[in-house]
Amino acid sequence: MTTATVRYFAGARAAAGVSEETVGFPAGSTVADALSELSGRHGEALSRVLLASSFLLDGVAVRDRSVPLSDGTVLDVLPPFAGG
């Protein structure tokens, strides 16, 4: 079992209904596996946000979603931000 802290920001927080949660994933799970689990856990609203989001794994940008999760990792979900 791999435990990860998932932190949601802005629209992702609104869609998930929480700002942070600790989630257990099977050993060997990847970022893609985590996103699938989070979509199932929080429903369609979060699924839509995840499609457009960027991710940080322990503070490092993730572009390859096949990256494996390590126990105790932190996954940040960063939806597109509007600003000026």
Short mmCIF file of all heavy atoms in Angstrom, two decimals:
data_model
loop_
_atom_site.label_atom_id
_atom_site.label_comp_id
_atom_site.label_asym_id
_atom_site.label_seq_id
_atom_site.Cartn_x
_atom_site.Cartn_y
_atom_site.Cartn_z
N MET A 1 0.85 -1.19 0.00
CA MET A 1 0.00 0.00 0.00
C MET A 1 0.89 1.23 0.00
O MET A 1 1.88 1.30 0.71
CB MET A 1 -0.90 -0.01 1.24
CG MET A 1 -1.80 1.18 1.38
SD MET A 1 -3.13 1.31 0.18
CE MET A 1 -4.29 0.14 0.77
N THR A 2 0.52 2.19 -0.83
CA THR A 2 1.21 3.47 -0.92
C THR A 2 0.24 4.54 -0.45
O THR A 2 -0.89 4.60 -0.93
CB THR A 2 1.63 3.75 -2.37
OG1 THR A 2 2.54 2.73 -2.79
CG2 THR A 2 2.30 5.09 -2.51
N THR A 3 0.68 5.36 0.48
CA THR A 3 -0.16 6.44 0.98
C THR A 3 0.33 7.76 0.41
O THR A 3 1.54 8.03 0.43
CB THR A 3 -0.12 6.48 2.52
OG1 THR A 3 -0.56 5.23 3.02
CG2 THR A 3 -1.01 7.57 3.06
N ALA A 4 -0.59 8.57 -0.10
CA ALA A 4 -0.25 9.87 -0.66
C ALA A 4 -1.18 10.93 -0.09
O ALA A 4 -2.35 10.68 0.16
CB ALA A 4 -0.38 9.85 -2.18
N THR A 5 -0.63 12.11 0.13
CA THR A 5 -1.44 13.27 0.48
C THR A 5 -1.76 13.99 -0.82
O THR A 5 -0.85 14.31 -1.58
CB THR A 5 -0.68 14.21 1.43
OG1 THR A 5 -0.36 13.49 2.62
CG2 THR A 5 -1.52 15.43 1.77
N VAL A 6 -3.04 14.20 -1.07
CA VAL A 6 -3.48 14.91 -2.27
C VAL A 6 -3.98 16.27 -1.83
O VAL A 6 -4.85 16.37 -0.95
CB VAL A 6 -4.59 14.13 -3.01
CG1 VAL A 6 -5.00 14.87 -4.28
CG2 VAL A 6 -4.15 12.71 -3.32
N ARG A 7 -3.40 17.32 -2.42
CA ARG A 7 -3.81 18.69 -2.10
C ARG A 7 -4.47 19.29 -3.32
O ARG A 7 -3.92 19.23 -4.43
CB ARG A 7 -2.61 19.52 -1.65
CG ARG A 7 -1.93 18.94 -0.43
CD ARG A 7 -0.85 19.82 0.13
NE ARG A 7 0.16 20.18 -0.87
CZ ARG A 7 1.26 20.85 -0.58
NH1 ARG A 7 1.49 21.27 0.66
NH2 ARG A 7 2.14 21.12 -1.53
N TYR A 8 -5.66 19.84 -3.11
CA TYR A 8 -6.44 20.43 -4.20
C TYR A 8 -6.42 21.94 -4.09
O TYR A 8 -6.58 22.49 -3.00
CB TYR A 8 -7.90 19.97 -4.11
CG TYR A 8 -8.08 18.47 -4.16
CD1 TYR A 8 -8.23 17.74 -2.99
CD2 TYR A 8 -8.12 17.80 -5.36
CE1 TYR A 8 -8.41 16.36 -3.03
CE2 TYR A 8 -8.30 16.43 -5.42
CZ TYR A 8 -8.44 15.72 -4.24
OH TYR A 8 -8.62 14.36 -4.28
N PHE A 9 -6.25 22.62 -5.22
CA PHE A 9 -6.21 24.07 -5.23
C PHE A 9 -7.32 24.63 -6.10
O PHE A 9 -7.72 24.01 -7.09
CB PHE A 9 -4.84 24.55 -5.74
CG PHE A 9 -3.73 24.18 -4.80
CD1 PHE A 9 -3.09 22.95 -4.89
CD2 PHE A 9 -3.34 25.05 -3.79
CE1 PHE A 9 -2.08 22.59 -4.01
CE2 PHE A 9 -2.33 24.71 -2.90
CZ PHE A 9 -1.70 23.48 -3.01
N ALA A 10 -7.82 25.81 -5.74
CA ALA A 10 -8.80 26.58 -6.50
C ALA A 10 -10.01 25.72 -6.93
O ALA A 10 -10.68 25.14 -6.09
CB ALA A 10 -8.12 27.26 -7.68
N GLY A 11 -10.25 25.62 -8.24
CA GLY A 11 -11.41 24.88 -8.75
C GLY A 11 -11.37 23.40 -8.41
O GLY A 11 -12.42 22.76 -8.29
N ALA A 12 -10.19 22.85 -8.26
CA ALA A 12 -10.09 21.43 -7.87
C ALA A 12 -10.60 21.24 -6.45
O ALA A 12 -11.26 20.26 -6.13
CB ALA A 12 -8.65 20.94 -8.00
N ARG A 13 -10.29 22.21 -5.57
CA ARG A 13 -10.78 22.15 -4.19
C ARG A 13 -12.30 22.20 -4.17
O ARG A 13 -12.96 21.44 -3.47
CB ARG A 13 -10.21 23.31 -3.37
CG ARG A 13 -10.70 23.32 -1.94
CD ARG A 13 -10.21 24.52 -1.15
NE ARG A 13 -8.77 24.62 -1.21
CZ ARG A 13 -8.11 25.75 -1.38
NH1 ARG A 13 -8.75 26.90 -1.51
NH2 ARG A 13 -6.80 25.76 -1.42
N ALA A 14 -12.87 23.09 -4.97
CA ALA A 14 -14.33 23.20 -5.03
C ALA A 14 -14.95 21.91 -5.56
O ALA A 14 -15.96 21.44 -5.05
CB ALA A 14 -14.72 24.39 -5.90
N ALA A 15 -14.36 21.33 -6.59
CA ALA A 15 -14.91 20.12 -7.20
C ALA A 15 -14.78 18.90 -6.27
O ALA A 15 -15.67 18.05 -6.23
CB ALA A 15 -14.22 19.84 -8.54
N ALA A 16 -13.68 18.82 -5.53
CA ALA A 16 -13.47 17.67 -4.64
C ALA A 16 -14.22 17.84 -3.33
O ALA A 16 -14.53 16.85 -2.65
CB ALA A 16 -11.98 17.49 -4.37
N GLY A 17 -14.48 19.08 -2.94
CA GLY A 17 -15.17 19.33 -1.69
C GLY A 17 -14.25 19.28 -0.47
O GLY A 17 -14.71 19.39 0.66
N VAL A 18 -12.96 19.12 -0.69
CA VAL A 18 -11.96 19.12 0.38
C VAL A 18 -10.71 19.82 -0.15
O VAL A 18 -10.47 19.85 -1.36
CB VAL A 18 -11.59 17.69 0.87
CG1 VAL A 18 -12.79 16.99 1.50
CG2 VAL A 18 -11.03 16.85 -0.26
N SER A 19 -9.89 20.34 0.75
CA SER A 19 -8.65 20.97 0.32
C SER A 19 -7.50 19.98 0.30
O SER A 19 -6.52 20.17 -0.42
CB SER A 19 -8.31 22.17 1.20
OG SER A 19 -8.14 21.76 2.54
N GLU A 20 -7.63 18.92 1.10
CA GLU A 20 -6.55 17.94 1.21
C GLU A 20 -7.11 16.63 1.74
O GLU A 20 -8.06 16.63 2.53
CB GLU A 20 -5.50 18.48 2.19
CG GLU A 20 -4.30 17.62 2.39
CD GLU A 20 -3.28 18.28 3.31
OE1 GLU A 20 -2.81 19.39 2.99
OE2 GLU A 20 -2.97 17.68 4.36
N GLU A 21 -6.53 15.54 1.30
CA GLU A 21 -6.91 14.24 1.84
C GLU A 21 -5.74 13.28 1.71
O GLU A 21 -4.86 13.46 0.86
CB GLU A 21 -8.15 13.68 1.13
CG GLU A 21 -7.98 13.39 -0.34
CD GLU A 21 -9.26 12.90 -1.01
OE1 GLU A 21 -10.08 12.25 -0.35
OE2 GLU A 21 -9.42 13.18 -2.21
N THR A 22 -5.73 12.28 2.56
CA THR A 22 -4.73 11.22 2.49
C THR A 22 -5.42 10.00 1.89
O THR A 22 -6.48 9.59 2.36
CB THR A 22 -4.17 10.90 3.88
OG1 THR A 22 -3.58 12.09 4.40
CG2 THR A 22 -3.12 9.81 3.81
N VAL A 23 -4.81 9.46 0.84
CA VAL A 23 -5.44 8.36 0.10
C VAL A 23 -4.44 7.20 0.00
O VAL A 23 -3.26 7.41 -0.24
CB VAL A 23 -5.82 8.83 -1.34
CG1 VAL A 23 -6.53 7.72 -2.09
CG2 VAL A 23 -6.69 10.08 -1.28
N GLY A 24 -4.94 5.99 0.18
CA GLY A 24 -4.12 4.80 0.00
C GLY A 24 -4.32 4.22 -1.38
O GLY A 24 -5.45 4.12 -1.87
N PHE A 25 -3.22 3.89 -2.03
CA PHE A 25 -3.24 3.29 -3.36
C PHE A 25 -2.48 1.97 -3.31
O PHE A 25 -1.56 1.81 -2.52
CB PHE A 25 -2.56 4.22 -4.38
CG PHE A 25 -3.19 5.58 -4.50
CD1 PHE A 25 -2.62 6.69 -3.87
CD2 PHE A 25 -4.36 5.76 -5.21
CE1 PHE A 25 -3.21 7.93 -3.97
CE2 PHE A 25 -4.96 7.00 -5.32
CZ PHE A 25 -4.38 8.10 -4.70
N PRO A 26 -2.81 1.03 -4.19
CA PRO A 26 -2.04 -0.22 -4.24
C PRO A 26 -0.58 0.06 -4.56
O PRO A 26 -0.26 1.02 -5.29
CB PRO A 26 -2.70 -1.01 -5.37
CG PRO A 26 -4.07 -0.42 -5.51
CD PRO A 26 -3.93 1.03 -5.14
N ALA A 27 0.31 -0.74 -4.03
CA ALA A 27 1.74 -0.60 -4.33
C ALA A 27 1.94 -0.63 -5.84
O ALA A 27 1.27 -1.37 -6.56
CB ALA A 27 2.52 -1.73 -3.67
N GLY A 28 2.83 0.20 -6.33
CA GLY A 28 3.11 0.26 -7.76
C GLY A 28 2.19 1.20 -8.53
O GLY A 28 2.31 1.32 -9.75
N SER A 29 1.29 1.89 -7.83
CA SER A 29 0.37 2.81 -8.51
C SER A 29 1.13 4.00 -9.10
O SER A 29 2.15 4.44 -8.56
CB SER A 29 -0.68 3.34 -7.53
OG SER A 29 -1.57 2.31 -7.16
N THR A 30 0.60 4.50 -10.19
CA THR A 30 1.18 5.65 -10.88
C THR A 30 0.32 6.88 -10.66
O THR A 30 -0.78 6.80 -10.10
CB THR A 30 1.26 5.37 -12.39
OG1 THR A 30 -0.08 5.23 -12.88
CG2 THR A 30 2.08 4.12 -12.70
N VAL A 31 0.80 8.02 -11.15
CA VAL A 31 0.01 9.24 -11.10
C VAL A 31 -1.31 9.02 -11.84
O VAL A 31 -2.38 9.41 -11.36
CB VAL A 31 0.79 10.43 -11.68
CG1 VAL A 31 -0.10 11.66 -11.84
CG2 VAL A 31 2.00 10.75 -10.81
N ALA A 32 -1.28 8.37 -12.98
CA ALA A 32 -2.51 8.09 -13.74
C ALA A 32 -3.48 7.25 -12.92
O ALA A 32 -4.70 7.51 -12.93
CB ALA A 32 -2.18 7.38 -15.05
N ASP A 33 -2.98 6.25 -12.20
CA ASP A 33 -3.84 5.43 -11.34
C ASP A 33 -4.47 6.28 -10.25
O ASP A 33 -5.66 6.12 -9.94
CB ASP A 33 -3.04 4.29 -10.69
CG ASP A 33 -2.46 3.31 -11.69
OD1 ASP A 33 -3.09 3.09 -12.75
OD2 ASP A 33 -1.37 2.77 -11.41
N ALA A 34 -3.68 7.17 -9.68
CA ALA A 34 -4.19 8.04 -8.62
C ALA A 34 -5.30 8.94 -9.16
O ALA A 34 -6.34 9.10 -8.52
CB ALA A 34 -3.06 8.89 -8.04
N LEU A 35 -5.11 9.49 -10.33
CA LEU A 35 -6.12 10.38 -10.91
C LEU A 35 -7.41 9.62 -11.20
O LEU A 35 -8.51 10.14 -10.99
CB LEU A 35 -5.59 11.04 -12.17
CG LEU A 35 -4.34 11.92 -11.97
CD1 LEU A 35 -3.88 12.49 -13.30
CD2 LEU A 35 -4.61 13.01 -10.95
N SER A 36 -7.29 8.39 -11.65
CA SER A 36 -8.48 7.56 -11.89
C SER A 36 -9.23 7.30 -10.58
O SER A 36 -10.46 7.41 -10.53
CB SER A 36 -8.04 6.25 -12.54
OG SER A 36 -9.15 5.42 -12.75
N GLU A 37 -8.49 6.98 -9.54
CA GLU A 37 -9.11 6.75 -8.23
C GLU A 37 -9.79 8.01 -7.71
O GLU A 37 -10.91 7.96 -7.19
CB GLU A 37 -8.04 6.26 -7.24
CG GLU A 37 -8.48 6.24 -5.80
CD GLU A 37 -9.56 5.23 -5.48
OE1 GLU A 37 -9.69 4.23 -6.21
OE2 GLU A 37 -10.31 5.43 -4.49
N LEU A 38 -9.13 9.15 -7.85
CA LEU A 38 -9.70 10.40 -7.37
C LEU A 38 -10.96 10.78 -8.15
O LEU A 38 -11.93 11.27 -7.57
CB LEU A 38 -8.67 11.52 -7.45
CG LEU A 38 -7.43 11.32 -6.56
CD1 LEU A 38 -6.37 12.37 -6.88
CD2 LEU A 38 -7.79 11.31 -5.09
N SER A 39 -10.96 10.52 -9.45
CA SER A 39 -12.17 10.77 -10.26
C SER A 39 -13.33 9.93 -9.77
O SER A 39 -14.45 10.42 -9.64
CB SER A 39 -11.89 10.45 -11.73
OG SER A 39 -11.01 11.37 -12.29
N GLY A 40 -13.07 8.65 -9.53
CA GLY A 40 -14.11 7.76 -9.03
C GLY A 40 -14.61 8.16 -7.66
O GLY A 40 -15.80 8.04 -7.35
N ARG A 41 -13.72 8.65 -6.86
CA ARG A 41 -14.05 9.03 -5.48
C ARG A 41 -14.89 10.30 -5.41
O ARG A 41 -15.78 10.42 -4.58
CB ARG A 41 -12.73 9.22 -4.73
CG ARG A 41 -12.84 9.58 -3.29
CD ARG A 41 -11.46 9.73 -2.70
NE ARG A 41 -10.90 8.42 -2.48
CZ ARG A 41 -10.37 8.01 -1.34
NH1 ARG A 41 -10.28 8.84 -0.33
NH2 ARG A 41 -9.90 6.80 -1.21
N HIS A 42 -14.59 11.27 -6.31
CA HIS A 42 -15.22 12.58 -6.21
C HIS A 42 -16.18 12.92 -7.35
O HIS A 42 -16.82 13.96 -7.32
CB HIS A 42 -14.16 13.67 -6.09
CG HIS A 42 -13.40 13.59 -4.81
ND1 HIS A 42 -13.94 13.91 -3.59
CD2 HIS A 42 -12.13 13.18 -4.56
CE1 HIS A 42 -13.04 13.73 -2.64
NE2 HIS A 42 -11.93 13.28 -3.21
N GLY A 43 -16.27 12.08 -8.37
CA GLY A 43 -17.29 12.26 -9.39
C GLY A 43 -16.91 13.14 -10.58
O GLY A 43 -15.76 13.54 -10.76
N GLU A 44 -17.92 13.40 -11.37
CA GLU A 44 -17.77 14.06 -12.67
C GLU A 44 -17.16 15.46 -12.58
O GLU A 44 -16.35 15.84 -13.41
CB GLU A 44 -19.13 14.13 -13.38
CG GLU A 44 -19.09 14.72 -14.76
CD GLU A 44 -18.22 13.94 -15.73
OE1 GLU A 44 -18.11 12.71 -15.60
OE2 GLU A 44 -17.64 14.57 -16.64
N ALA A 45 -17.55 16.23 -11.57
CA ALA A 45 -17.01 17.59 -11.46
C ALA A 45 -15.49 17.57 -11.34
O ALA A 45 -14.80 18.32 -12.04
CB ALA A 45 -17.64 18.32 -10.28
N LEU A 46 -14.96 16.71 -10.48
CA LEU A 46 -13.51 16.64 -10.35
C LEU A 46 -12.88 16.02 -11.59
O LEU A 46 -11.81 16.45 -12.02
CB LEU A 46 -13.09 15.87 -9.10
CG LEU A 46 -11.58 15.84 -8.86
CD1 LEU A 46 -11.02 17.25 -8.65
CD2 LEU A 46 -11.22 14.95 -7.70
N SER A 47 -13.53 15.05 -12.19
CA SER A 47 -13.00 14.44 -13.41
C SER A 47 -12.74 15.48 -14.48
O SER A 47 -11.70 15.47 -15.14
CB SER A 47 -13.96 13.39 -13.96
OG SER A 47 -14.06 12.30 -13.08
N ARG A 48 -13.67 16.42 -14.65
CA ARG A 48 -13.51 17.49 -15.64
C ARG A 48 -12.33 18.39 -15.29
O ARG A 48 -11.55 18.78 -16.16
CB ARG A 48 -14.80 18.32 -15.75
CG ARG A 48 -15.89 17.63 -16.56
CD ARG A 48 -17.02 18.58 -16.92
NE ARG A 48 -17.57 19.27 -15.76
CZ ARG A 48 -18.57 18.81 -15.01
NH1 ARG A 48 -19.13 17.65 -15.28
NH2 ARG A 48 -19.01 19.50 -13.99
N VAL A 49 -12.20 18.72 -14.01
CA VAL A 49 -11.10 19.58 -13.58
C VAL A 49 -9.76 18.87 -13.80
O VAL A 49 -8.79 19.48 -14.26
CB VAL A 49 -11.27 19.98 -12.10
CG1 VAL A 49 -10.03 20.69 -11.57
CG2 VAL A 49 -12.50 20.87 -11.92
N LEU A 50 -9.70 17.58 -13.50
CA LEU A 50 -8.44 16.84 -13.65
C LEU A 50 -7.96 16.80 -15.10
O LEU A 50 -6.75 16.80 -15.35
CB LEU A 50 -8.60 15.41 -13.12
CG LEU A 50 -8.79 15.27 -11.61
CD1 LEU A 50 -9.02 13.81 -11.24
CD2 LEU A 50 -7.62 15.86 -10.84
N LEU A 51 -8.88 16.79 -16.05
CA LEU A 51 -8.50 16.78 -17.46
C LEU A 51 -7.69 18.01 -17.86
O LEU A 51 -6.83 17.94 -18.74
CB LEU A 51 -9.74 16.67 -18.35
CG LEU A 51 -10.45 15.32 -18.35
CD1 LEU A 51 -11.74 15.41 -19.15
CD2 LEU A 51 -9.55 14.24 -18.90
N ALA A 52 -7.97 19.14 -17.21
CA ALA A 52 -7.31 20.40 -17.57
C ALA A 52 -6.20 20.78 -16.59
O ALA A 52 -5.54 21.80 -16.78
CB ALA A 52 -8.35 21.51 -17.63
N SER A 53 -6.00 19.99 -15.56
CA SER A 53 -5.07 20.36 -14.48
C SER A 53 -3.63 19.99 -14.77
O SER A 53 -3.33 19.12 -15.60
CB SER A 53 -5.50 19.67 -13.17
OG SER A 53 -6.71 20.20 -12.71
N SER A 54 -2.75 20.66 -14.03
CA SER A 54 -1.33 20.31 -13.95
C SER A 54 -1.12 19.68 -12.58
O SER A 54 -1.92 19.87 -11.66
CB SER A 54 -0.46 21.56 -14.06
OG SER A 54 -0.66 22.18 -15.29
N PHE A 55 -0.02 18.95 -12.45
CA PHE A 55 0.22 18.23 -11.20
C PHE A 55 1.66 18.40 -10.76
O PHE A 55 2.57 18.48 -11.58
CB PHE A 55 -0.08 16.74 -11.39
CG PHE A 55 -1.45 16.51 -11.94
CD1 PHE A 55 -1.65 16.34 -13.30
CD2 PHE A 55 -2.56 16.52 -11.11
CE1 PHE A 55 -2.91 16.17 -13.82
CE2 PHE A 55 -3.84 16.35 -11.63
CZ PHE A 55 -4.01 16.18 -12.98
N LEU A 56 1.84 18.45 -9.45
CA LEU A 56 3.16 18.44 -8.84
C LEU A 56 3.24 17.21 -7.97
O LEU A 56 2.30 16.90 -7.23
CB LEU A 56 3.38 19.67 -7.96
CG LEU A 56 3.32 21.05 -8.61
CD1 LEU A 56 3.51 22.14 -7.56
CD2 LEU A 56 4.36 21.18 -9.70
N LEU A 57 4.35 16.51 -8.06
CA LEU A 57 4.60 15.35 -7.21
C LEU A 57 5.81 15.70 -6.36
O LEU A 57 6.91 15.88 -6.90
CB LEU A 57 4.86 14.11 -8.08
CG LEU A 57 4.86 12.77 -7.39
CD1 LEU A 57 3.53 12.50 -6.69
CD2 LEU A 57 5.15 11.66 -8.39
N ASP A 58 5.57 15.90 -5.06
CA ASP A 58 6.61 16.35 -4.15
C ASP A 58 7.29 17.62 -4.66
O ASP A 58 8.51 17.77 -4.63
CB ASP A 58 7.64 15.25 -3.89
CG ASP A 58 7.02 14.06 -3.16
OD1 ASP A 58 6.12 14.29 -2.32
OD2 ASP A 58 7.42 12.93 -3.44
N GLY A 59 6.45 18.54 -5.19
CA GLY A 59 6.95 19.84 -5.63
C GLY A 59 7.54 19.89 -7.03
O GLY A 59 7.98 20.94 -7.47
N VAL A 60 7.56 18.77 -7.73
CA VAL A 60 8.13 18.71 -9.08
C VAL A 60 7.01 18.48 -10.10
O VAL A 60 6.18 17.59 -9.92
CB VAL A 60 9.18 17.57 -9.18
CG1 VAL A 60 9.73 17.47 -10.58
CG2 VAL A 60 10.30 17.79 -8.17
N ALA A 61 7.00 19.29 -11.15
CA ALA A 61 5.97 19.16 -12.19
C ALA A 61 5.97 17.76 -12.79
O ALA A 61 7.03 17.21 -13.08
CB ALA A 61 6.19 20.20 -13.28
N VAL A 62 4.77 17.22 -12.98
CA VAL A 62 4.61 15.89 -13.55
C VAL A 62 4.00 16.04 -14.94
O VAL A 62 2.91 16.58 -15.08
CB VAL A 62 3.65 15.02 -12.69
CG1 VAL A 62 3.36 13.70 -13.37
CG2 VAL A 62 4.21 14.81 -11.31
N ARG A 63 4.73 15.59 -15.94
CA ARG A 63 4.19 15.58 -17.30
C ARG A 63 3.90 14.16 -17.74
O ARG A 63 3.02 13.91 -18.54
CB ARG A 63 5.17 16.27 -18.24
CG ARG A 63 5.15 17.78 -18.04
CD ARG A 63 6.18 18.50 -18.86
NE ARG A 63 6.17 19.94 -18.69
CZ ARG A 63 6.43 20.60 -17.57
NH1 ARG A 63 6.69 19.96 -16.47
NH2 ARG A 63 6.41 21.90 -17.53
N ASP A 64 4.65 13.23 -17.22
CA ASP A 64 4.49 11.81 -17.53
C ASP A 64 3.66 11.16 -16.42
O ASP A 64 4.14 10.97 -15.31
CB ASP A 64 5.87 11.15 -17.62
CG ASP A 64 5.78 9.66 -17.93
OD1 ASP A 64 4.67 9.12 -18.10
OD2 ASP A 64 6.86 9.04 -17.98
N ARG A 65 2.43 10.85 -16.74
CA ARG A 65 1.52 10.31 -15.72
C ARG A 65 1.79 8.85 -15.37
O ARG A 65 1.13 8.28 -14.52
CB ARG A 65 0.07 10.51 -16.15
CG ARG A 65 -0.26 12.00 -16.20
CD ARG A 65 -1.69 12.25 -16.52
NE ARG A 65 -1.93 13.69 -16.59
CZ ARG A 65 -3.11 14.23 -16.77
NH1 ARG A 65 -4.16 13.46 -16.92
NH2 ARG A 65 -3.25 15.52 -16.82
N SER A 66 2.78 8.25 -16.02
CA SER A 66 3.15 6.87 -15.67
C SER A 66 4.19 6.84 -14.56
O SER A 66 4.66 5.76 -14.18
CB SER A 66 3.66 6.12 -16.90
OG SER A 66 4.89 6.67 -17.34
N VAL A 67 4.52 8.00 -14.00
CA VAL A 67 5.48 8.07 -12.89
C VAL A 67 4.86 7.38 -11.68
O VAL A 67 3.72 7.65 -11.31
CB VAL A 67 5.81 9.55 -12.56
CG1 VAL A 67 6.62 9.66 -11.28
CG2 VAL A 67 6.50 10.21 -13.71
N PRO A 68 5.61 6.47 -11.04
CA PRO A 68 5.07 5.77 -9.88
C PRO A 68 5.02 6.67 -8.65
O PRO A 68 5.83 7.58 -8.49
CB PRO A 68 6.06 4.62 -9.66
CG PRO A 68 7.32 5.04 -10.33
CD PRO A 68 6.93 5.98 -11.42
N LEU A 69 4.03 6.40 -7.80
CA LEU A 69 3.91 7.10 -6.52
C LEU A 69 4.80 6.40 -5.51
O LEU A 69 4.92 5.19 -5.52
CB LEU A 69 2.47 7.05 -6.03
CG LEU A 69 1.40 7.64 -6.92
CD1 LEU A 69 0.02 7.38 -6.32
CD2 LEU A 69 1.62 9.13 -7.11
N SER A 70 5.43 7.18 -4.63
CA SER A 70 6.15 6.57 -3.52
C SER A 70 5.35 6.82 -2.24
O SER A 70 4.56 7.76 -2.16
CB SER A 70 7.56 7.11 -3.37
OG SER A 70 7.79 8.28 -4.04
N ASP A 71 5.56 5.98 -1.28
CA ASP A 71 4.83 6.10 -0.02
C ASP A 71 5.16 7.44 0.64
O ASP A 71 6.32 7.85 0.70
CB ASP A 71 5.20 4.94 0.91
CG ASP A 71 4.23 4.83 2.07
OD1 ASP A 71 3.01 4.96 1.84
OD2 ASP A 71 4.69 4.63 3.21
N GLY A 72 4.12 8.13 1.08
CA GLY A 72 4.30 9.41 1.76
C GLY A 72 4.42 10.60 0.83
O GLY A 72 4.67 11.72 1.26
N THR A 73 4.21 10.38 -0.46
CA THR A 73 4.34 11.45 -1.44
C THR A 73 3.21 12.47 -1.32
O THR A 73 2.16 12.18 -0.74
CB THR A 73 4.38 10.84 -2.86
OG1 THR A 73 4.93 11.78 -3.76
CG2 THR A 73 3.01 10.41 -3.33
N VAL A 74 3.42 13.65 -1.88
CA VAL A 74 2.40 14.69 -1.93
C VAL A 74 2.10 14.98 -3.40
O VAL A 74 3.01 15.29 -4.17
CB VAL A 74 2.87 15.98 -1.22
CG1 VAL A 74 1.83 17.09 -1.38
CG2 VAL A 74 3.14 15.72 0.25
N LEU A 75 0.84 14.87 -3.76
CA LEU A 75 0.37 15.15 -5.11
C LEU A 75 -0.49 16.40 -5.07
O LEU A 75 -1.53 16.42 -4.40
CB LEU A 75 -0.43 13.97 -5.66
CG LEU A 75 -1.04 14.14 -7.05
CD1 LEU A 75 0.05 14.29 -8.11
CD2 LEU A 75 -1.96 12.95 -7.38
N ASP A 76 -0.05 17.46 -5.75
CA ASP A 76 -0.81 18.70 -5.83
C ASP A 76 -1.57 18.75 -7.14
O ASP A 76 -1.01 18.47 -8.20
CB ASP A 76 0.12 19.91 -5.75
CG ASP A 76 0.80 20.06 -4.40
OD1 ASP A 76 0.17 19.73 -3.38
OD2 ASP A 76 1.96 20.51 -4.37
N VAL A 77 -2.85 19.11 -7.05
CA VAL A 77 -3.71 19.25 -8.23
C VAL A 77 -3.91 20.74 -8.48
O VAL A 77 -4.51 21.44 -7.65
CB VAL A 77 -5.07 18.54 -8.01
CG1 VAL A 77 -5.95 18.70 -9.24
CG2 VAL A 77 -4.85 17.07 -7.67
N LEU A 78 -3.40 21.20 -9.61
CA LEU A 78 -3.42 22.63 -9.94
C LEU A 78 -4.24 22.88 -11.20
O LEU A 78 -3.75 22.67 -12.31
CB LEU A 78 -1.99 23.13 -10.18
CG LEU A 78 -0.97 22.82 -9.05
CD1 LEU A 78 0.42 23.11 -9.52
CD2 LEU A 78 -1.33 23.60 -7.82
N PRO A 79 -5.49 23.29 -11.04
CA PRO A 79 -6.30 23.58 -12.22
C PRO A 79 -5.78 24.86 -12.89
O PRO A 79 -5.01 25.61 -12.28
CB PRO A 79 -7.69 23.78 -11.64
CG PRO A 79 -7.47 24.20 -10.24
CD PRO A 79 -6.21 23.55 -9.79
N PRO A 80 -6.20 25.11 -14.12
CA PRO A 80 -5.80 26.37 -14.76
C PRO A 80 -6.24 27.56 -13.91
O PRO A 80 -7.35 27.55 -13.36
CB PRO A 80 -6.53 26.36 -16.10
CG PRO A 80 -6.93 24.94 -16.31
CD PRO A 80 -7.08 24.33 -14.95
N PHE A 81 -5.36 28.52 -13.77
CA PHE A 81 -5.68 29.71 -12.99
C PHE A 81 -5.91 30.88 -13.92
O PHE A 81 -5.15 31.06 -14.88
CB PHE A 81 -4.52 30.06 -12.05
CG PHE A 81 -4.28 29.07 -10.95
CD1 PHE A 81 -3.38 28.03 -11.10
CD2 PHE A 81 -4.99 29.18 -9.76
CE1 PHE A 81 -3.16 27.12 -10.08
CE2 PHE A 81 -4.78 28.26 -8.73
CZ PHE A 81 -3.86 27.24 -8.90
N ALA A 82 -6.91 31.68 -13.61
CA ALA A 82 -7.12 32.93 -14.35
C ALA A 82 -6.43 34.01 -13.53
O ALA A 82 -6.35 33.94 -12.32
CB ALA A 82 -8.60 33.21 -14.49
N GLY A 83 -5.95 34.99 -14.20
CA GLY A 83 -5.28 36.05 -13.45
C GLY A 83 -5.03 37.25 -14.34
O GLY A 83 -5.32 37.25 -15.51
N GLY A 84 -4.48 38.24 -13.71
CA GLY A 84 -4.21 39.43 -14.49
C GLY A 84 -3.10 40.21 -13.89
O GLY A 84 -2.42 39.88 -13.00
#
